[in-house]
Amino acid sequence: MAKRKKKAAKSVVEGSQERLSRKVYEKELKELHVELVKLQQWVVAKGLKVCIVFEGRDGAGKGGTIKAITERVSPRIFRVVALPAPTEREKSQMYAQRYLVHMPAAGEVVIFDRSWYNRAGVERVMGFCTEEQAQKFLKVVPLFEKMMVESGIILVKYWLEVSPEEQRRRLEDRINDGRKIWKLSPMDLKSFSRWDEYTRARDEMFAASDSSWAPWYMARSEDKRRVRLNLISHLLQQIPYGDLTRDAAIKLPKRGTLGRYKAAPYPFKIVEERF
């Protein structure tokens, strides 16, 4: 694995759990992004197949964490899968069928923003599947994931945990911020009052599917900046990789002579410069 100097991310007040300052966050994130680019090149060069699952309560910070992972890498290699509610046709299929088509091929990292674990969580709690279906899923899912791992997929599963107080604050923020209102779905509102039901479903899910070949990792997400740094650091440790950038000395070629061709006076419709 490419070595990176370990630096303890410091908060505004040393040793406290105050929210991480933006300055520290951006500095640490930049270094982690460099490592993710190295990982990306390694995945492509070695033909690795990586599947990362993100689960957690509404407002736990899954989307922001996934964005922090993917914002400096290629979307052709790091693919994010966030499936909508199943269609009537998909409901009649084998449950895992619509997820199988999104599994990584060689040289790909696929990130599931919610996954087949919908059956153990939202579907079970909100009554979209029967209790019998949920129990069958919990019995079968370790075997399903063993099949994935034995086929050569590197499977990493994360659960983002948030307190009820912080969840309330974030959901209220979505209501009051016009930039975030799209994040608030009718399902978020319906499930808000079922905290204990989700906790019970989560615990049973962990008990059934936390296997040696596909363990669960929990990340506390009270501070969005901290959880992003902690999780990316952890992810880099799960996939051994080397630094191929050292072998690729890049230099710009000489530019050809400028001015030999005069651009045509095309009547472009110019974007108004309002800023």
Side-chain angles (χ1 to χ4, degrees):
M1 177 188 289
K3 296 293 181 185
R4 172 181 176 267
K5 263 191 172 180
K6 290 213 171 190
K7 298 179 182 176
K10 297 178 183 177
S11 61
V12 181
V13 179
E14 186 75 32
S16 77
Q17 278 302 305
E18 292 190 12
R19 297 193 184 276
L20 200 66
S21 72
R22 179 172 294 278
K23 183 178 179 180
V24 172
Y25 169 69
E26 291 181 349
K27 178 178 179 294
E28 295 290 336
L29 185 60
K30 183 178 180 180
E31 293 185 19
L32 290 171
H33 280 158
V34 171
E35 296 303 315
L36 284 170
V37 170
K38 293 176 185 177
L39 173 63
Q40 172 180 263
Q41 291 181 296
W42 188 263
V43 166
V44 173
K46 303 300 180 181
L48 301 183
K49 299 179 288 186
V50 181
C51 180
I52 308 168
V53 168
F54 277 91
E55 293 288 343
R57 303 177 193 270
D58 300 321
K62 298 181 293 298
T65 303
I66 291 171
K67 184 178 179 182
I69 293 172
T70 59
E71 64 182 343
R72 294 293 180 173
V73 290
S74 170
R76 293 185 294 275
I77 297 167
F78 277 73
R79 292 194 291 111
V80 178
V81 178
L83 299 183
T87 63
E88 289 303 316
R89 182 176 183 276
E90 287 171 332
K91 289 177 183 177
S92 70
Q93 295 175 341
M94 179 180 70
Y95 176 68
Q97 190 168 336
R98 74 185 192 127
Y99 296 101
L100 289 171
V101 297
H102 297 285
M103 292 299 170
E108 291 183 342
V109 178
V110 173
I111 300 176
F112 281 93
D113 184 354
R114 294 197 183 277
S115 66
W116 46 93
Y117 282 102
N118 275 341
R119 175 132 296 180
V122 64
E123 289 188 17
R124 186 182 189 186
V125 173
M126 301 306 295
F128 296 138
C129 71
T130 65
E131 183 60 22
E132 181 184 8
Q133 287 174 318
Q135 290 296 335
K136 283 183 178 178
F137 169 81
L138 292 174
K139 185 176 181 180
V140 169
V141 70
L143 303 176
F144 171 66
E145 291 175 348
K146 191 167 191 178
M147 177 186 71
M148 290 173 58
V149 172
E150 290 182 349
S151 75
I153 293 175
I154 298 171
L155 177 60
V156 187
K157 302 186 301 190
Y158 289 112
W159 175 274
L160 270 60
E161 183 67 10
V162 66
S163 69
E165 296 79 17
E166 181 63 15
Q167 185 197 46
R168 173 186 286 275
R169 189 194 68 77
R170 292 178 186 177
L171 294 180
E172 287 178 343
D173 188 42
R174 291 179 184 180
I175 294 171
N176 299 322
D177 189 335
R179 300 167 299 173
K180 301 177 181 179
I181 192 68
W182 64 272
K183 292 184 176 182
L184 193 68
S185 71
M187 192 55 55
D188 294 340
L189 299 175
K190 289 180 182 177
S191 62
F192 179 72
S193 61
R194 303 191 182 186
W195 181 273
D196 283 351
E197 290 90 331
Y198 271 100
T199 301
R200 184 180 297 109
R202 178 205 65 188
D203 290 350
E204 291 185 19
M205 180 188 77
F206 285 165
S209 60
D210 184 28
S211 60
S212 59
W213 54 88
W216 278 104
Y217 297 103
M218 178 184 282
R220 302 193 181 280
S221 65
E222 293 297 287
D223 183 337
K224 292 180 179 180
R225 293 171 185 167
R226 286 182 189 278
V227 73
R228 293 168 190 171
L229 298 180
N230 289 334
L231 198 143
I232 296 173
S233 299
H234 183 272
L235 175 62
L236 290 166
Q237 295 168 15
Q238 306 313 303
I239 309 166
Y241 66 96
D243 183 3
L244 299 178
T245 60
R246 293 175 300 181
D247 305 327
I250 301 172
K251 188 178 179 181
L252 287 176
K254 274 186 83 173
R255 196 194 290 274
T257 305
L258 301 178
R260 288 183 178 179
Y261 172 76
K262 296 296 183 183
Y266 189 82
F268 290 107
K269 298 175 179 64
I270 303 297
V271 174
E272 181 185 358
E273 296 183 354
R274 299 175 61 189
F275 302 98

